[in-house]
Short mmCIF file of all heavy atoms in Angstrom, two decimals:
data_model
loop_
_atom_site.label_atom_id
_atom_site.label_comp_id
_atom_site.label_asym_id
_atom_site.label_seq_id
_atom_site.Cartn_x
_atom_site.Cartn_y
_atom_site.Cartn_z
N GLU W 143 91.23 44.50 154.15
CA GLU W 143 91.67 45.90 154.20
C GLU W 143 90.54 46.88 154.51
O GLU W 143 90.64 48.07 154.23
CB GLU W 143 92.35 46.30 152.88
CG GLU W 143 91.51 46.07 151.65
CD GLU W 143 92.33 46.05 150.37
OE1 GLU W 143 93.50 45.63 150.41
OE2 GLU W 143 91.78 46.47 149.34
N LEU W 144 89.44 46.36 155.10
CA LEU W 144 88.29 47.18 155.48
C LEU W 144 87.69 47.84 154.25
O LEU W 144 87.77 47.28 153.16
CB LEU W 144 88.68 48.18 156.57
CG LEU W 144 89.34 47.53 157.82
CD1 LEU W 144 89.70 48.59 158.84
CD2 LEU W 144 88.46 46.45 158.41
N TYR W 145 87.09 48.98 154.39
CA TYR W 145 86.42 49.61 153.24
C TYR W 145 86.58 51.12 153.32
O TYR W 145 86.50 51.72 154.40
CB TYR W 145 84.93 49.25 153.22
CG TYR W 145 84.20 49.86 152.05
CD1 TYR W 145 84.29 49.29 150.78
CD2 TYR W 145 83.44 51.01 152.20
CE1 TYR W 145 83.64 49.85 149.70
CE2 TYR W 145 82.78 51.58 151.11
CZ TYR W 145 82.89 50.98 149.87
OH TYR W 145 82.24 51.55 148.79
N GLY W 146 86.79 51.74 152.16
CA GLY W 146 86.91 53.19 152.10
C GLY W 146 88.27 53.72 152.50
O GLY W 146 88.46 54.94 152.56
N LEU W 147 89.23 52.83 152.78
CA LEU W 147 90.57 53.22 153.14
C LEU W 147 91.54 52.78 152.04
O LEU W 147 91.25 51.86 151.29
CB LEU W 147 90.99 52.58 154.47
CG LEU W 147 90.10 52.86 155.68
CD1 LEU W 147 90.56 52.03 156.87
CD2 LEU W 147 90.13 54.34 156.05
N ASP W 148 92.68 53.46 151.97
CA ASP W 148 93.67 53.00 151.00
C ASP W 148 94.26 51.67 151.47
O ASP W 148 94.15 51.30 152.64
CB ASP W 148 94.78 54.05 150.81
CG ASP W 148 95.57 54.29 152.09
OD1 ASP W 148 96.55 53.56 152.33
OD2 ASP W 148 95.18 55.19 152.86
N ARG W 149 94.88 50.96 150.54
CA ARG W 149 95.36 49.61 150.78
C ARG W 149 96.27 49.52 152.01
O ARG W 149 96.08 48.67 152.88
CB ARG W 149 96.11 49.13 149.53
CG ARG W 149 96.69 47.73 149.61
CD ARG W 149 97.60 47.50 148.39
NE ARG W 149 98.12 46.16 148.37
CZ ARG W 149 97.60 45.17 147.66
NH1 ARG W 149 96.53 45.38 146.93
NH2 ARG W 149 98.16 43.98 147.67
N ALA W 150 97.25 50.43 152.11
CA ALA W 150 98.23 50.37 153.20
C ALA W 150 97.58 50.63 154.56
O ALA W 150 97.83 49.92 155.53
CB ALA W 150 99.36 51.36 152.95
N THR W 151 96.72 51.66 154.63
CA THR W 151 96.09 52.01 155.91
C THR W 151 95.16 50.91 156.38
O THR W 151 95.18 50.52 157.55
CB THR W 151 95.32 53.33 155.77
OG1 THR W 151 96.20 54.36 155.33
CG2 THR W 151 94.71 53.73 157.10
N GLY W 152 94.32 50.41 155.47
CA GLY W 152 93.39 49.35 155.84
C GLY W 152 94.11 48.10 156.34
O GLY W 152 93.73 47.52 157.36
N ARG W 153 95.15 47.70 155.64
CA ARG W 153 95.88 46.49 156.05
C ARG W 153 96.66 46.72 157.34
O ARG W 153 96.87 45.78 158.11
CB ARG W 153 96.77 46.01 154.92
CG ARG W 153 95.97 45.58 153.71
CD ARG W 153 96.77 44.78 152.71
NE ARG W 153 95.90 44.31 151.63
CZ ARG W 153 96.19 43.33 150.81
NH1 ARG W 153 97.35 42.69 150.93
NH2 ARG W 153 95.36 42.97 149.86
N ALA W 154 97.10 47.94 157.56
CA ALA W 154 97.80 48.23 158.81
C ALA W 154 96.85 48.10 160.01
O ALA W 154 97.22 47.55 161.06
CB ALA W 154 98.39 49.64 158.76
#
Side-chain angles (χ1 to χ4, degrees):
E143 55 198 32
L144 306 180
Y145 181 79
L147 303 173
D148 63 87
R149 180 190 183 97
T151 303
R153 296 195 175 198

